[in-house]
Amino acid sequence: VSDASGCSMIVLLHTGAAKFPQSFLPRARQAVRSLLPPAVLKGYGSIVSRKLASHGFGASMAAMSSFPPQRYHYFLVLDFEATCDKPQIHPQEIIEFPILKLNGRTMEIESTFHMYVQPVVHPQLTPFCTELTGIIQGMVDGQPSLQQVLERVDEWMAKEGLLDPSVKSIFVTCGDWDLKVMLPGQCQYLGLPVADYFKQWINLKKAYSFAMGSWPKNGLLDMNKGLNLQHIGRPHSGIDDCKNIANIMKTLAHRGFIFKQTSKPF
């Protein structure tokens, strides 16, 4: 660097990009960021990106500059809705089963699994449940049982390549309830096995607290507020909650957060 602005390093990065091995570029980019004043860095950022694109690095370099490498190829965002009342009914049964397949490199949604589930122990939804979740009786009547939905989840996982041993994926939930309490509890009640892929997950509340230094007492609402994000859809809609989780994850990834498993092995 020949002057205080770091311009010579920028020129070096521009002219030498074609000769650099791609594995060296993230380190070179980080070195530039550490040396340049913020105002200079802001001005040159788009120039560097355009120059790298002209040398054939294109969209992959754009993705690398936006997100640090994650530990997983895919994040599977899940948020159940279940039968409920005040006082609580037992056993609770899953009535909405949504999953979003989030690409770990781009943090974009690539595929969606979404089904409603027919409850069998308490087949009639309570007014409290409908008011809370927005799920009305006609949305669950005649729908597949939990056993049938789990079979379709497995088919979807296979179709999406998520059962390939070389593909690293993990579920993400807002809290531990979905996969620590709700699914294993209902499966035990019905005598159904729990697939191994449901036995490890990331609790987004814990991930958020690691990244932001505060616990989101009110879950998604607090996380959206803390990150200045608009809440998507209605609270306690399973599919809308999944979209909010995905949006929060993408925002944290933009800030450099690396997601790690938070559940303990079964």
Side-chain angles (χ1 to χ4, degrees), residues 10 13-15 17 45-57:
I10 289 292
L13 186 56
H14 283 188
T15 57
S46 60
I47 299 173
V48 173
S49 297
R50 290 197 300 270
K51 199 69 179 180
L52 289 175
S54 72
H55 286 288
F57 295 106

Side-chain angles (χ1 to χ4, degrees), residues 17-260:
K19 300 177 183 178
F20 288 166
Q22 191 161 349
S23 61
F24 178 76
L25 286 168
R27 286 178 288 169
R29 186 177 61 251
Q30 185 60 40
V32 172
R33 286 175 173 168
S34 66
L35 291 170
L36 293 182
V40 175
L41 181 61
K42 183 178 180 181
Y44 280 103
S46 60
I47 299 173
V48 173
S49 297
R50 290 197 300 270
K51 199 69 179 180
L52 289 175
S54 72
H55 286 288
F57 295 106
S60 63
M61 278 306 303
M64 289 172 66
S65 65
S66 300
F67 304 105
Q70 295 289 337
R71 295 185 169 198
Y72 298 92
H73 298 114
Y74 296 100
F75 297 103
L76 305 176
V77 179
L78 176 149
D79 190 272
F80 295 138
E81 298 305 325
T83 53
C84 53
D85 202 2
K86 283 191 173 183
Q88 188 60 272
I89 56 177
H90 297 282
Q92 283 189 275
E93 300 171 84
I94 295 168
I95 54 175
E96 186 181 5
F97 203 127
I99 307 172
L100 299 181
K101 179 189 176 188
L102 205 63
N103 185 301
R105 184 178 61 83
T106 65
M107 302 304 283
E108 297 292 342
I109 298 168
E110 286 194 353
S111 182
T112 301
F113 178 92
H114 186 212
M115 294 189 71
Y116 291 99
V117 190
Q118 170 75 62
V120 294
V121 181
H122 301 287
Q124 194 70 30
L125 301 184
T126 65
F128 174 83
C129 183
T130 293
E131 182 179 353
L132 181 69
T133 66
I135 299 172
I136 62 174
Q137 192 66 41
M139 295 165 72
V140 297
D141 283 346
Q143 295 301 309
S145 66
L146 179 63
Q147 180 177 359
Q148 293 169 320
V149 171
L150 290 173
E151 291 170 355
R152 296 189 191 182
V153 169
D154 203 66
E155 293 169 358
W156 178 79
M157 295 276 287
K159 179 176 69 73
E160 295 293 330
L162 297 167
L163 301 184
D164 184 334
S166 66
V167 175
K168 293 186 67 178
S169 65
I170 189 167
F171 279 90
V172 183
T173 58
C174 184
D176 291 320
W177 174 83
D178 300 81
L179 294 178
K180 186 176 182 179
V181 177
M182 188 61 236
L183 183 64
Q186 189 177 358
C187 284
Q188 183 179 31
Y189 183 89
L190 296 173
L192 301 174
V194 178
D196 287 342
Y197 46 71
F198 286 126
K199 295 181 180 179
Q200 49 277 319
W201 64 89
I202 295 168
N203 177 344
L204 183 65
K205 292 180 182 178
K206 291 182 180 178
Y208 177 91
S209 69
F210 296 152
M212 303 295 288
S214 62
W215 182 260
K217 184 178 179 181
N218 294 313
L220 293 174
L221 296 177
D222 281 356
M223 288 185 272
N224 277 326
K225 184 177 179 180
L227 295 170
N228 295 315
L229 298 174
Q230 283 288 110
H231 190 88
I232 299 169
R234 62 164 289 158
H236 303 296
S237 158
I239 190 64
D240 287 347
D241 284 352
C242 284
K243 292 174 183 176
N244 281 285
I245 292 170
N247 201 27
I248 290 165
M249 291 182 70
K250 183 176 181 178
T251 303
L252 291 177
H254 264 302
R255 296 184 178 206
F257 186 73
I258 307 293
F259 290 93
K260 303 174 184 177

